[in-house]
Amino acid sequence: MFLGMGMPIPDLANLPGVSRPGGGGSDENFIMKWETTTSNEDIIVMGCRFGFNSSTLAQHYDFNVDWGDGTNEDIVLTNTNVPGFSHTYTDAGVYTVKINGKFGGLCMGDSTAGNTASNREKLKEITNWGDTGIATLNSMFNGCTNVTITAKDAPTVAPGGMVNTTYDYMIFNANSITSLDMSKWPAEIFVIQRGYYAFARADNLTSIKFPKGVRITGTVMQYLFYESGSAGSSLSIDMQDVKVEAN
């Protein structure tokens, strides 16, 4: 179709950022900052194996990663036993890592692939959610004691919806997160079948906001906010129009 002077009307699905239906922002990349403190130091980034098989893992984790040091690579995750990938930095420093493509979500609480507590501490910041198709929030920042979330956009949901609707340990022990505003996130992300310790023991968390239309479809919600805000401040929880469908 053409609009005046022979100029074609653009296909909205191909436009970047907020013009794209469901787009999370002007930058389609999922962007993180990692810090290394010694030369020739590795970081390990974890995809999610919980609820995935080799086929669905490859379907939701097929992406390009720019490691922030002048190198990038194409990666497809297929091994559900070890769904991590790593990079070695020659020099110590803070690096901006950008992921473009299909990336179903971090699962930093998974201790396979050498993902130790010291590795999780290297993740410093999430600056942009981008448009990578979130398929799970399970254990996303579990044990990432130094991570902060400064992203102003909202993530997009994977085509077909969430693969894993258990939200166990999403920000468990992520003590540097002081507020988590998810009010602009798609409600489809929060079809919660289970949320065991999802937002627990985030000691410095003072405020958390959910989008309208959260659906709780399961019964295992124990300790959802257990000991969060325990560093001395009260925890404000904003849940609007929560729909409970569990028996």
Side-chain angles (χ1 to χ4, degrees):
M1 184 181 294
F2 289 83
L3 179 65
M5 302 300 292
M7 296 298 292
I9 296 176
D11 183 351
L12 288 177
N14 293 326
L15 288 176
V18 294
S19 298
R20 182 187 59 255
S26 59
D27 194 331
E28 295 184 350
N29 293 295
F30 173 50
I31 305 176
M32 308 171 280
K33 289 186 178 180
W34 290 74
E35 183 177 17
T36 62
T37 57
T38 61
S39 58
N40 298 312
E41 184 175 341
D42 294 339
I43 67 167
I44 301 167
V45 184
M46 297 299 297
C48 189
R49 60 192 172 104
F50 306 121
F52 292 79
N53 57 39
S54 58
S55 176
T56 56
L57 190 68
Q59 178 183 349
H60 292 282
Y61 291 91
D62 182 355
F63 55 92
N64 176 271
V65 56
D66 177 346
W67 291 107
D69 62 352
T71 61
N72 69 81
E73 59 182 309
D74 295 322
I75 296 175
V76 180
L77 298 183
T78 58
N79 188 345
T80 55
N81 293 318
V82 188
F85 52 103
S86 64
H87 184 69
T88 302
Y89 290 100
T90 302
D91 301 314
V94 176
Y95 294 92
T96 299
V97 178
K98 299 180 180 182
I99 292 178
N100 184 273
K102 298 176 183 178
F103 188 79
L106 290 172
C107 188
M108 292 304 297
D110 187 345
S111 60
T112 61
N115 180 33
T116 61
S118 60
N119 179 69
R120 292 190 283 270
E121 291 172 356
K122 299 174 189 178
L123 178 58
K124 298 296 183 180
E125 188 178 357
I126 305 300
T127 64
N128 198 74
W129 291 106
D131 180 25
T132 59
I134 291 290
T136 178
L137 296 177
N138 190 292
S139 235
M140 180 172 276
F141 299 118
N142 181 359
C144 296
T145 56
N146 293 320
V147 71
T148 60
I149 301 173
T150 60
K152 302 301 183 184
D153 63 329
T156 55
V157 184
M162 303 294 281
V163 173
N164 186 336
T165 56
T166 64
Y167 296 75
D168 300 352
Y169 301 97
M170 177 182 168
I171 62 168
F172 183 82
N173 203 32
N175 294 327
S176 292
I177 297 177
T178 58
S179 65
L180 185 58
D181 186 353
M182 301 176 289
S183 60
K184 296 181 181 179
W185 289 25
E188 293 85 354
I189 286 182
F190 290 98
V191 182
I192 304 176
Q193 188 175 31
R194 192 177 73 193
Y196 198 63
Y197 282 103
F199 308 101
R201 288 188 174 170
D203 292 351
N204 295 297
L205 186 66
T206 60
S207 173
I208 184 167
K209 295 180 180 181
F210 291 84
K212 292 181 179 180
V214 171
R215 291 172 56 205
I216 297 177
T217 64
T219 58
V220 185
M221 295 292 133
Q222 294 99 322
Y223 309 111
L224 194 63
F225 302 101
Y226 179 70
E227 290 188 349
S228 282
S230 63
S233 300
S234 60
L235 173 59
S236 171
I237 302 170
D238 186 351
M239 276 184 144
Q240 304 180 63
D241 301 331
V242 176
K243 188 174 183 181
V244 180
E245 301 175 359
N247 296 321

